[in-house]
PDB file of all heavy atoms in Angstrom:
ATOM      1  N   VAL A 686     164.751 123.695 108.113  1.00 77.00           N
ATOM      2  CA  VAL A 686     164.963 122.253 107.897  1.00 77.00           C
ATOM      3  C   VAL A 686     165.522 121.624 109.160  1.00 77.00           C
ATOM      4  O   VAL A 686     165.126 120.510 109.575  1.00 77.00           O
ATOM      5  CB  VAL A 686     165.896 122.033 106.683  1.00 77.00           C
ATOM      6  CG1 VAL A 686     166.334 120.576 106.606  1.00 77.00           C
ATOM      7  CG2 VAL A 686     165.178 122.430 105.422  1.00 77.00           C
ATOM      8  N   ALA A 687     166.456 122.333 109.810  1.00 77.00           N
ATOM      9  CA  ALA A 687     167.072 121.794 111.013  1.00 77.00           C
ATOM     10  C   ALA A 687     166.041 121.571 112.100  1.00 77.00           C
ATOM     11  O   ALA A 687     165.975 120.496 112.723  1.00 77.00           O
ATOM     12  CB  ALA A 687     168.191 122.730 111.497  1.00 77.00           C
ATOM     13  N   THR A 688     165.163 122.599 112.322  1.00 76.00           N
ATOM     14  CA  THR A 688     164.170 122.442 113.381  1.00 76.00           C
ATOM     15  C   THR A 688     163.186 121.340 113.031  1.00 76.00           C
ATOM     16  O   THR A 688     162.779 120.572 113.913  1.00 76.00           O
ATOM     17  CB  THR A 688     163.396 123.750 113.627  1.00 76.00           C
ATOM     18  OG1 THR A 688     163.076 124.312 112.375  1.00 76.00           O
ATOM     19  CG2 THR A 688     164.196 124.717 114.451  1.00 76.00           C
ATOM     20  N   ALA A 689     162.815 121.254 111.731  1.00 78.00           N
ATOM     21  CA  ALA A 689     161.867 120.214 111.351  1.00 78.00           C
ATOM     22  C   ALA A 689     162.425 118.839 111.598  1.00 78.00           C
ATOM     23  O   ALA A 689     161.791 117.956 112.198  1.00 78.00           O
ATOM     24  CB  ALA A 689     161.476 120.396 109.889  1.00 78.00           C
ATOM     25  N   SER A 690     163.707 118.635 111.154  1.00 81.00           N
ATOM     26  CA  SER A 690     164.265 117.307 111.326  1.00 81.00           C
ATOM     27  C   SER A 690     164.507 117.020 112.795  1.00 81.00           C
ATOM     28  O   SER A 690     164.340 115.869 113.260  1.00 81.00           O
ATOM     29  CB  SER A 690     165.540 117.141 110.498  1.00 81.00           C
ATOM     30  OG  SER A 690     166.354 118.277 110.664  1.00 81.00           O
ATOM     31  N   LEU A 691     164.856 118.060 113.543  1.00 81.00           N
ATOM     32  CA  LEU A 691     165.027 117.867 114.981  1.00 81.00           C
ATOM     33  C   LEU A 691     163.694 117.471 115.625  1.00 81.00           C
ATOM     34  O   LEU A 691     163.637 116.584 116.488  1.00 81.00           O
ATOM     35  CB  LEU A 691     165.556 119.156 115.621  1.00 81.00           C
ATOM     36  CG  LEU A 691     166.044 119.016 117.054  1.00 81.00           C
ATOM     37  CD1 LEU A 691     167.305 118.208 117.060  1.00 81.00           C
ATOM     38  CD2 LEU A 691     166.240 120.373 117.666  1.00 81.00           C
ATOM     39  N   GLY A 692     162.634 118.116 115.156  1.00 80.00           N
ATOM     40  CA  GLY A 692     161.315 117.790 115.718  1.00 80.00           C
ATOM     41  C   GLY A 692     160.942 116.354 115.444  1.00 80.00           C
ATOM     42  O   GLY A 692     160.497 115.624 116.324  1.00 80.00           O
ATOM     43  N   ILE A 693     161.157 115.917 114.189  1.00 84.00           N
ATOM     44  CA  ILE A 693     160.823 114.526 113.848  1.00 84.00           C
ATOM     45  C   ILE A 693     161.657 113.580 114.697  1.00 84.00           C
ATOM     46  O   ILE A 693     161.151 112.598 115.264  1.00 84.00           O
ATOM     47  CB  ILE A 693     161.061 114.291 112.337  1.00 84.00           C
ATOM     48  CG1 ILE A 693     160.097 115.128 111.532  1.00 84.00           C
ATOM     49  CG2 ILE A 693     160.907 112.829 112.006  1.00 84.00           C
ATOM     50  CD1 ILE A 693     160.321 115.068 110.057  1.00 84.00           C
ATOM     51  N   THR A 694     162.961 113.885 114.801  1.00 85.00           N
ATOM     52  CA  THR A 694     163.832 113.001 115.570  1.00 85.00           C
ATOM     53  C   THR A 694     163.395 112.929 117.030  1.00 85.00           C
ATOM     54  O   THR A 694     163.355 111.857 117.621  1.00 85.00           O
ATOM     55  CB  THR A 694     165.281 113.525 115.498  1.00 85.00           C
ATOM     56  OG1 THR A 694     165.526 114.035 114.215  1.00 85.00           O
ATOM     57  CG2 THR A 694     166.246 112.423 115.808  1.00 85.00           C
ATOM     58  N   MET A 695     163.050 114.092 117.584  1.00 84.00           N
ATOM     59  CA  MET A 695     162.651 114.101 119.005  1.00 84.00           C
ATOM     60  C   MET A 695     161.395 113.282 119.207  1.00 84.00           C
ATOM     61  O   MET A 695     161.297 112.442 120.110  1.00 84.00           O
ATOM     62  CB  MET A 695     162.411 115.540 119.478  1.00 84.00           C
ATOM     63  CG  MET A 695     163.620 116.337 119.795  1.00 84.00           C
ATOM     64  SD  MET A 695     164.883 115.429 120.658  1.00 84.00           S
ATOM     65  CE  MET A 695     164.140 115.248 122.262  1.00 84.00           C
ATOM     66  N   THR A 696     160.389 113.482 118.307  1.00 86.00           N
ATOM     67  CA  THR A 696     159.148 112.737 118.452  1.00 86.00           C
ATOM     68  C   THR A 696     159.412 111.244 118.376  1.00 86.00           C
ATOM     69  O   THR A 696     158.923 110.462 119.205  1.00 86.00           O
ATOM     70  CB  THR A 696     158.161 113.114 117.327  1.00 86.00           C
ATOM     71  OG1 THR A 696     158.248 114.531 117.133  1.00 86.00           O
ATOM     72  CG2 THR A 696     156.755 112.731 117.679  1.00 86.00           C
ATOM     73  N   LEU A 697     160.215 110.845 117.377  1.00 87.00           N
ATOM     74  CA  LEU A 697     160.464 109.427 117.208  1.00 87.00           C
ATOM     75  C   LEU A 697     161.248 108.869 118.369  1.00 87.00           C
ATOM     76  O   LEU A 697     160.984 107.764 118.853  1.00 87.00           O
ATOM     77  CB  LEU A 697     161.222 109.198 115.902  1.00 87.00           C
ATOM     78  CG  LEU A 697     160.351 109.367 114.652  1.00 87.00           C
ATOM     79  CD1 LEU A 697     161.169 109.144 113.407  1.00 87.00           C
ATOM     80  CD2 LEU A 697     159.184 108.420 114.688  1.00 87.00           C
ATOM     81  N   LEU A 698     162.225 109.640 118.854  1.00 88.00           N
ATOM     82  CA  LEU A 698     163.033 109.158 119.976  1.00 88.00           C
ATOM     83  C   LEU A 698     162.160 108.902 121.184  1.00 88.00           C
ATOM     84  O   LEU A 698     162.243 107.851 121.825  1.00 88.00           O
ATOM     85  CB  LEU A 698     164.095 110.202 120.341  1.00 88.00           C
ATOM     86  CG  LEU A 698     165.445 110.039 119.660  1.00 88.00           C
ATOM     87  CD1 LEU A 698     166.405 111.096 120.181  1.00 88.00           C
ATOM     88  CD2 LEU A 698     166.007 108.645 119.934  1.00 88.00           C
ATOM     89  N   LYS A 699     161.316 109.883 121.483  1.00 88.00           N
ATOM     90  CA  LYS A 699     160.437 109.736 122.652  1.00 88.00           C
ATOM     91  C   LYS A 699     159.520 108.556 122.475  1.00 88.00           C
ATOM     92  O   LYS A 699     159.291 107.755 123.398  1.00 88.00           O
ATOM     93  CB  LYS A 699     159.628 111.014 122.858  1.00 88.00           C
ATOM     94  CG  LYS A 699     160.474 112.179 123.326  1.00 88.00           C
ATOM     95  CD  LYS A 699     159.680 113.470 123.179  1.00 88.00           C
ATOM     96  CE  LYS A 699     160.538 114.668 123.485  1.00 88.00           C
ATOM     97  NZ  LYS A 699     159.847 115.912 123.188  1.00 88.00           N
ATOM     98  N   ALA A 700     158.965 108.440 121.242  1.00 89.00           N
ATOM     99  CA  ALA A 700     158.017 107.356 120.989  1.00 89.00           C
ATOM    100  C   ALA A 700     158.717 106.010 121.129  1.00 89.00           C
ATOM    101  O   ALA A 700     158.196 105.090 121.766  1.00 89.00           O
ATOM    102  CB  ALA A 700     157.408 107.506 119.609  1.00 89.00           C
ATOM    103  N   TYR A 701     159.913 105.915 120.556  1.00 90.00           N
ATOM    104  CA  TYR A 701     160.573 104.608 120.581  1.00 90.00           C
ATOM    105  C   TYR A 701     161.073 104.250 121.972  1.00 90.00           C
ATOM    106  O   TYR A 701     161.260 103.082 122.290  1.00 90.00           O
ATOM    107  CB  TYR A 701     161.676 104.533 119.534  1.00 90.00           C
ATOM    108  CG  TYR A 701     161.110 104.112 118.199  1.00 90.00           C
ATOM    109  CD1 TYR A 701     160.737 105.027 117.239  1.00 90.00           C
ATOM    110  CD2 TYR A 701     160.861 102.768 117.956  1.00 90.00           C
ATOM    111  CE1 TYR A 701     160.151 104.649 116.061  1.00 90.00           C
ATOM    112  CE2 TYR A 701     160.274 102.379 116.776  1.00 90.00           C
ATOM    113  CZ  TYR A 701     159.938 103.316 115.838  1.00 90.00           C
ATOM    114  OH  TYR A 701     159.353 102.907 114.676  1.00 90.00           O
ATOM    115  N   PHE A 702     161.274 105.281 122.810  1.00 90.00           N
ATOM    116  CA  PHE A 702     161.591 104.954 124.208  1.00 90.00           C
ATOM    117  C   PHE A 702     160.415 104.188 124.815  1.00 90.00           C
ATOM    118  O   PHE A 702     160.613 103.190 125.514  1.00 90.00           O
ATOM    119  CB  PHE A 702     161.873 106.228 124.998  1.00 90.00           C
ATOM    120  CG  PHE A 702     161.947 105.960 126.470  1.00 90.00           C
ATOM    121  CD1 PHE A 702     163.055 105.312 126.986  1.00 90.00           C
ATOM    122  CD2 PHE A 702     160.934 106.324 127.336  1.00 90.00           C
ATOM    123  CE1 PHE A 702     163.141 105.040 128.336  1.00 90.00           C
ATOM    124  CE2 PHE A 702     161.020 106.056 128.680  1.00 90.00           C
ATOM    125  CZ  PHE A 702     162.134 105.419 129.173  1.00 90.00           C
ATOM    126  N   PHE A 703     159.188 104.628 124.516  1.00 90.00           N
ATOM    127  CA  PHE A 703     158.044 103.942 125.106  1.00 90.00           C
ATOM    128  C   PHE A 703     157.819 102.583 124.472  1.00 90.00           C
ATOM    129  O   PHE A 703     157.395 101.631 125.136  1.00 90.00           O
ATOM    130  CB  PHE A 703     156.802 104.810 125.023  1.00 90.00           C
ATOM    131  CG  PHE A 703     156.773 105.779 126.145  1.00 90.00           C
ATOM    132  CD1 PHE A 703     157.302 107.023 125.981  1.00 90.00           C
ATOM    133  CD2 PHE A 703     156.284 105.416 127.368  1.00 90.00           C
ATOM    134  CE1 PHE A 703     157.333 107.902 127.013  1.00 90.00           C
ATOM    135  CE2 PHE A 703     156.305 106.271 128.418  1.00 90.00           C
ATOM    136  CZ  PHE A 703     156.833 107.534 128.247  1.00 90.00           C
ATOM    137  N   LEU A 704     158.163 102.473 123.207  1.00 91.00           N
ATOM    138  CA  LEU A 704     158.113 101.169 122.555  1.00 91.00           C
ATOM    139  C   LEU A 704     159.067 100.206 123.248  1.00 91.00           C
ATOM    140  O   LEU A 704     158.748  99.062 123.541  1.00 91.00           O
ATOM    141  CB  LEU A 704     158.501 101.324 121.091  1.00 91.00           C
ATOM    142  CG  LEU A 704     158.158 100.137 120.226  1.00 91.00           C
ATOM    143  CD1 LEU A 704     156.779 100.346 119.659  1.00 91.00           C
ATOM    144  CD2 LEU A 704     159.149  99.952 119.151  1.00 91.00           C
TER     145      LEU A 704
END
Side-chain angles (χ1 to χ4, degrees):
Chain A
V686 169
T688 43
S690 45
L691 192 70
I693 294 175
T694 323
M695 281 320 288
T696 320
L697 287 179
L698 268 183
K699 290 166 186 173
Y701 274 96
F702 170 72
F703 278 93
L704 194 91

